[in-house]
Amino acid sequence: MRARVSLGGISFSGVSGWPVPHRGTGGNEWVTGRCWLYCRRENISVLWIGPIRAPRADGDLYACGQCIAELVHMVYEEQHRVDIPAHPLD
């Protein structure tokens, strides 16, 4: 069974797997900023993907499309790994 990835207000393309701009009200809009995930690029289009709480700091987590797609891919890989039964040692 495939994991259901839920990132509030973000829709994903069935073709690329990348997030697509929200249509309508109440969703996340693309803004220009810094990706807080893997690439850490600045001045790029990013989406708010949720709040983050760390010791002595709270913030808003933003990520670019490529890093969001990688995060989702990692969730699917982990779900696949967990779903595959381990082979007993001979």
Side-chain angles (χ1 to χ4, degrees):
M1 186 167 114
R2 203 157 208 209
R4 181 176 177 269
V5 176
S6 176
L7 295 171
I10 300 175
S11 300
F12 293 89
S13 165
V15 176
S16 70
W18 281 39
V20 295
H22 179 76
R23 293 182 188 354
T25 60
N28 299 342
E29 300 295 329
W30 291 97
V31 297
T32 300
R34 179 180 183 202
C35 179
W36 285 40
L37 289 180
Y38 314 107
C39 73
R40 299 183 184 181
R41 293 178 292 165
E42 297 197 28
N43 297 316
I44 60 170
S45 292
V46 293
L47 286 171
W48 179 82
I49 60 171
I52 186 166
R53 177 166 271 154
R56 299 177 300 217
D58 294 336
D60 292 314
L61 183 61
Y62 287 85
C64 70
Q66 182 177 358
C67 287
I68 292 171
E70 179 63 19
L71 179 63
V72 170
H73 176 75
M74 290 171 65
V75 170
Y76 288 150
E77 277 188 337
E78 179 64 14
Q79 185 65 45
H80 181 70
R81 187 188 68 77
V82 170
D83 284 348
I84 296 175
H87 296 291
L89 297 174
D90 293 325

